[in-house]
Amino acid sequence: MTRLSSIGDLKELGDLIGERLAELAKKIEVKIHLGSCGIASGARSVQETFLKEAESRKLSNVVITEAACIGPCGREPIVTVIHPKNGRMIYAEVTPERVPTIIERHLIGGEPIPEWTLDLESPTFRLQKIRILHNQDIDPTSVEEYIARDGYQALAKVLTQMRPEEVINEVSRSGLRGRGGAGFPTATKWTFVRQAAGDEKFVICNADEGDPGAYMNRAVLEGNPHSILEGMLIGAYAIGATRGYIYCRAEKPLAIERLDVALRQAAEYGLMGHNILGSDFSFQIELRKGAGAFVCGEETALLASIEGRRGNPRQRPPFPAHKGLFNKPTVLNNVETWSNIPLIILNGAEWFASVGSDKSKGTKTFCLVGKISNPGLIEVPLGTPLGQVVFDIGGGCPGGRQFKAVQIGGPSGGCIPIAHLNTPIDYESVTALGAIMGSGGLIVMDENNCMVDVARFFLQFTKDESCGKCTPCRAGISKMLDILTKISQGKGAMEDLDTLTELAEMVGSASLCGLGQTAPNPVLTTLRHFRDEYEAHIIDKHCPAAVCQALFTTPCQHTCPVELDCSGYIALVKAGKFADAYKLIKQRLPFPMSVGRVCDHPCEVKCRRVQVDEAVSIRDLKRIAAD
């Protein structure tokens, strides 16, 4: 490994690697995708099987490599085969048992197996715009593969062709906004820090990402760590910083492992440290591990944690741009924001702004999770309609269930109902509905989700994660949670809704940091869009989704229009006591024979059996008992 002492050395290395990869392209390449999702699904065993089979068959024209998560997390383990003649095919749900067949038919016979592959022309892939995730298919532990994809060329460009002010101006013209919260303009933040007085300045990457259902940043950390380092190097050059930190929670071991490798490689190649690429610019990055406190995603709490203190937020102003880490001017952006910087510098502001909406430029990564047919990681232009993301890319709710809402922005976000499916996903539109973009988690909910319970769940999370420093957050969230718990138990009163609204507005306006200020969002948005469900819990003592256990006996009986004892007559039919089953049905239903033929069986939608295989055919059993 040779230290690069000039821009020319970087170019020569890139050419050399390009020649080497061109030779590799003449062989059949098998990429095993080893993100956290792939490894958890058994990708390591698939990798071992490929290696053993290739060795035993002496397949000298086959190269087996590693890559990161490329998006379809619900279809892992995933294997990409790049054939010199047949092109690229992506196999999903690969098991060790399928490996010999793939080798025999595709690698040796040259015939792909279409029934095992992903359809890259489907809306799930065709409607995406891949930019941030464009390097997820290379070996994340190889700086050379990153360099072969024009890695560190943006850094070389700013060191040789651009003044710091020009870098900030290019980022400003691109319209890039922070990808970790409310979308503050990135260049504006950089300008504040550059103009701030101070003999030392810092650049920090917030890789904490503690939202339930969000793992976009983790995927980039695992798959494209050098893009983050390069972005931080460019940012440091622009604001005049010489030191930086990446703050990543310790419960992301694979991300930390690959960051460690990337930091070591960058230092060994001379892409970090003193006189980078022969220039006067010097910069060093350290990795700091967080203990997993959600509140440390808030910038002032994160700074306190890096300094070795308890991660408590502090009052702002002064803002970190003027008094940040160790009371020095500090730029703090999240993983996706930093990863965008090299793309903007290399391709230009106009290229970046060519997609997106008027005020929200570029693309955004999202995690589609929850009640969705195609869960995983996606990247779409900002301004893409919510319905297109949920139904065209995500495939809608599985099992034919009805879509109800999307929780966007994690515990700090809000719920967007079906009535607003045409809403473009951008900062202004999402905020207008009472939610926030956040880091990009999209939790899809169907008719079996109770919105009172959803609000209670997220409020319980923020209560547990609150630092407790300020009274509005500490006492206000706890009181709101008590009211929601009472409502979910059927003990609420209508005046509780007014109290809940008043408390939520007080907590949001008076809390010290972003955690408390945004914690009421799930409550306010569910009250705004699903007030009828709250009223059903209070007035009718009824949970429409059959989730709040104090308000129903069994989900099927709860959903039945006549509240028929489904489990009772099912047990009697099972025992062969048809006459007894018929009598039990007639207690609530006078015409079991005819209704058994025309009932639209809503009970089957709530049947717990569907979690195992399929719902019990209750309507058929009713007819059998009558016949």
Side-chain angles (χ1 to χ4, degrees):
M1 189 177 291
T2 305
R3 182 179 177 85
L4 305 175
S5 57
S6 68
I7 304 299
D9 288 349
L10 177 63
K11 185 179 184 307
E12 288 180 13
L13 178 62
D15 293 341
L16 183 64
I17 298 168
E19 293 174 6
R20 192 186 311 159
L21 292 176
E23 286 298 315
L24 181 65
K26 296 177 182 178
K27 297 186 176 183
I28 301 172
E29 185 176 8
V30 178
K31 293 177 181 282
I32 315 296
H33 295 278
L34 296 171
S36 290
C37 48
I39 293 172
S41 300
R44 290 288 188 195
S45 298
V46 172
Q47 181 188 34
E48 292 171 4
T49 307
F50 264 110
L51 290 169
K52 290 178 182 177
E53 288 286 331
E55 183 180 0
S56 65
R57 296 168 185 260
K58 296 182 171 52
L59 301 178
S60 58
N61 67 327
V62 174
V63 179
I64 298 169
T65 60
E66 297 183 6
C69 169
I70 57 172
C73 306
R75 303 293 303 277
E76 296 280 4
I78 288 176
V79 174
T80 298
V81 175
I82 304 175
H83 199 286
K85 295 181 180 179
N86 298 328
R88 184 177 68 140
M89 302 291 289
I90 300 177
Y91 288 93
E93 298 172 4
V94 181
T95 62
E97 292 74 25
R98 287 186 172 185
V99 171
T101 306
I102 294 173
I103 290 177
E104 191 69 35
R105 290 176 56 180
H106 191 172
L107 274 57
I108 297 176
E111 293 294 331
I113 310 171
E115 59 268 27
W116 292 353
T117 60
L118 297 174
D119 180 7
L120 301 183
E121 295 302 316
S122 68
T124 299
F125 298 97
R126 182 169 42 81
L127 295 176
Q128 295 191 49
K129 186 74 174 178
I130 303 301
R131 289 183 171 183
I132 291 296
L133 303 177
H134 76 290
N135 276 340
Q136 295 294 113
D137 62 335
I138 66 174
D139 185 348
T141 64
S142 172
V143 66
E144 294 189 347
E145 285 200 37
Y146 180 72
I147 290 173
R149 294 272 185 96
D150 293 328
Y152 291 104
Q153 290 298 322
L155 174 64
K157 181 178 179 179
V158 302
L159 292 179
T160 57
Q161 303 176 29
M162 303 176 74
R163 298 191 307 275
E165 296 84 359
E166 292 175 322
V167 175
I168 296 177
N169 183 56
E170 190 74 6
V171 175
S172 177
R173 291 195 307 112
S174 74
L176 176 66
R177 300 172 64 170
R179 295 299 198 247
F184 191 80
T186 302
T188 303
K189 185 184 293 188
W190 289 17
T191 301
F192 290 156
V193 178
R194 176 156 184 82
Q195 295 175 349
D199 57 347
E200 186 177 21
K201 298 174 182 179
F202 292 97
V203 163
I204 294 177
C205 174
N206 181 354
D208 190 63
E209 191 182 42
D211 293 2
Y215 52 87
M216 302 76 55
N217 292 349
R218 189 199 72 204
V220 176
L221 290 167
E222 294 175 357
N224 196 14
H226 283 284
S227 68
I228 300 154
L229 306 189
E230 186 176 8
M232 293 178 69
L233 284 159
I234 293 169
Y237 172 80
I239 69 164
T242 57
R243 291 171 61 194
Y245 293 88
I246 298 175
Y247 185 87
C248 183
R249 53 176 55 203
E251 58 200 48
K252 299 177 181 177
L254 185 60
I256 288 173
E257 176 188 325
R258 289 178 176 169
L259 276 172
D260 279 331
V261 172
L263 287 167
R264 186 174 66 251
Q265 289 175 338
E268 290 172 349
Y269 271 98
L271 297 164
M272 191 181 300
H274 296 288
N275 304 117
I276 296 170
L277 294 175
S279 70
D280 296 330
F281 174 58
S282 299
F283 185 66
Q284 190 66 46
I285 298 176
E286 293 182 37
L287 177 61
R288 290 292 175 89
K289 301 174 187 177
F294 180 71
V295 74
C296 285
E298 196 277 337
E299 57 182 10
T300 60
L302 184 151
L303 296 175
S305 182
I306 292 178
E307 292 171 356
R309 298 183 287 114
R310 178 175 174 171
N312 277 355
R314 63 164 173 79
Q315 186 70 48
R316 298 176 301 174
F319 291 94
H322 296 99
K323 284 193 175 182
L325 190 65
F326 305 117
N327 284 322
K328 306 288 185 180
T330 302
V331 159
L332 195 151
N333 290 117
N334 85 328
V335 167
E336 189 173 342
T337 309
W338 287 121
S339 196
N340 265 304
I341 298 300
L343 298 175
I344 292 171
I345 298 300
L346 198 59
N347 299 294
E350 291 78 11
W351 170 85
F352 181 84
S354 64
V355 300
S357 61
D358 289 341
K359 296 182 180 179
S360 300
K361 303 295 186 182
T363 62
K364 180 75 186 75
T365 58
F366 292 99
C367 280
L368 267 176
V369 296
K371 308 293 184 62
I372 192 75
S373 297
N374 302 321
L377 183 65
I378 66 169
E379 183 176 1
V380 295
L382 282 166
T384 301
L386 180 61
Q388 187 177 94
V389 170
V390 173
F391 288 96
D392 296 333
I393 296 176
C397 299
R401 300 188 190 281
Q402 185 179 357
F403 168 83
K404 182 181 252 185
V406 165
Q407 166 80 5
I408 182 170
S412 303
C415 297
I416 300 177
I418 191 171
H420 295 282
L421 273 178
N422 290 329
T423 299
I425 306 178
D426 58 39
Y427 292 98
E428 285 72 29
S429 301
V430 168
T431 302
L433 292 175
I436 63 171
M437 187 78 73
S439 56
L442 286 174
I443 303 176
V444 180
M445 304 172 193
D446 67 11
E447 58 197 284
N448 286 340
N449 286 101
C450 169
M451 304 315 291
V452 176
D453 185 69
V454 166
R456 188 192 61 78
F457 169 82
F458 283 111
L459 214 59
Q460 180 69 61
F461 180 87
T462 48
K463 174 182 178 292
D464 293 342
E465 295 292 341
S466 170
C467 71
K469 184 176 181 179
C470 68
T471 302
C473 180
R474 181 183 66 251
I477 291 179
S478 181
K479 182 61 179 176
M480 282 195 293
L481 182 61
D482 288 344
I483 294 174
L484 284 172
T485 301
K486 185 170 71 169
I487 292 173
S488 68
Q489 293 173 347
K491 301 175 182 177
M494 287 301 294
E495 54 264 27
D496 287 334
L497 301 185
D498 294 331
T499 304
L500 201 56
T501 302
E502 185 178 352
L503 276 170
E505 292 173 349
M506 180 276 295
V507 171
S509 61
S511 292
L512 178 65
C513 78
L515 184 147
Q517 292 163 8
T518 57
N521 284 346
V523 177
L524 290 171
T525 53
T526 52
L527 277 170
R528 175 180 173 182
H529 301 300
F530 299 96
R531 191 178 184 88
D532 58 326
E533 287 200 30
Y534 281 87
E535 293 175 351
H537 283 68
I538 294 170
I539 300 171
D540 303 328
K541 311 301 179 187
H542 177 82
C543 176
V547 171
C548 300
Q549 294 190 0
L551 301 180
F552 71 93
T553 305
T554 61
C556 48
Q557 180 176 351
H558 181 76
T559 311
C560 179
V562 296
E563 297 186 5
L564 195 60
D565 184 1
C566 303
S567 56
Y569 77 75
I570 289 172
L572 291 170
V573 169
K574 180 182 178 182
K577 299 178 179 180
F578 300 108
D580 292 337
Y582 178 76
K583 292 175 183 177
L584 180 60
I585 295 169
K586 286 204 67 174
Q587 290 179 5
R588 304 288 303 183
L589 186 66
F591 310 108
M593 186 174 292
S594 56
V595 173
R597 285 169 166 78
V598 300
C599 178
D600 62 348
H601 48 89
C603 49
E604 292 183 21
V605 176
K606 302 292 185 185
C607 183
R608 299 293 194 216
R609 178 77 189 184
V610 77
Q611 299 174 7
V612 180
D613 42 40
E614 57 183 337
V616 175
S617 299
I618 296 179
R619 180 178 64 175
D620 293 340
L621 293 179
K622 191 186 302 151
R623 189 175 68 247
I624 288 171
D627 288 346

